[in-house]
């Protein structure tokens, strides 16, 4: 029900940083857990990070722990992903979703909301 627009992607060298943004508009209150997924060429879309409504609870896929930070600004209706120490394997199109169900037991994320159109992140020397 929300329109989501990702931005902030680009080409960066290994070890570099990017900050992705996901701006939401046109819907009702932003009342769900939100998060980021990514999809590399020829691969399935995979979970990256999720954040609770207040921002107090966050989960990350193991491969990005310690390097990525998910935040949200509810006043601006914007979701962020700060990506540091980027690696070539981080290369993918990054998508946000406005409603994610996360199961801590299985570390499984179920995106049931709307997707943005994605922003390309390329990590290469």
């Amino acid at each position: 029900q929300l329109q989501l627009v990702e931005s902030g992607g680009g080409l960066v060298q290994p070890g570099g940083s990017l900050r992705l943004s996901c701006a939401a508009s046109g819907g009702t209150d932003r009342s769900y857990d939100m998060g980021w997924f990514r999809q590399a060429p020829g691969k399935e879309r995979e979970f990256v990070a999720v954040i609770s409504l207040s921002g107090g609870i966050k989960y990350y896929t193991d491969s990005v722990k310690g390097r990525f930070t998910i935040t949200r600004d509810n006043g601006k209706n914007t979701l962020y992903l700060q990506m540091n120490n980027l690696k070539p394997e981080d290369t993918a199109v990054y998508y946000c979703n406005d409603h994610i169900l996360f199961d801590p037991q299985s570390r499984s994320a179920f995106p049931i909301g709307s997707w943005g159109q994605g922003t390309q992140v390329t990590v290469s020397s």
Side-chain angles (χ1 to χ4, degrees), residues 36-91:
W36 294 91
F37 284 68
R38 65 187 181 186
Q39 187 167 21
K43 300 185 67 176
E44 298 286 327
R45 190 170 299 186
E46 66 174 351
F47 167 73
V48 177
V50 64
I51 186 170
S52 62
L53 176 62
S54 67
I57 302 174
K58 304 174 183 179
Y59 292 96
Y60 302 89
T61 192
D62 287 343
S63 64
V64 309
K65 286 181 179 178
R67 300 188 299 119
F68 290 11
T69 302
I70 186 171
T71 56
R72 65 192 296 170
D73 186 333
N74 291 337
K76 296 181 179 180
N77 276 287
T78 302
L79 177 73
Y80 302 97
L81 185 68
Q82 178 66 46
M83 306 186 296
N84 298 325
N85 192 24
L86 283 161
K87 303 176 180 180
E89 51 263 45
D90 296 318
T91 295

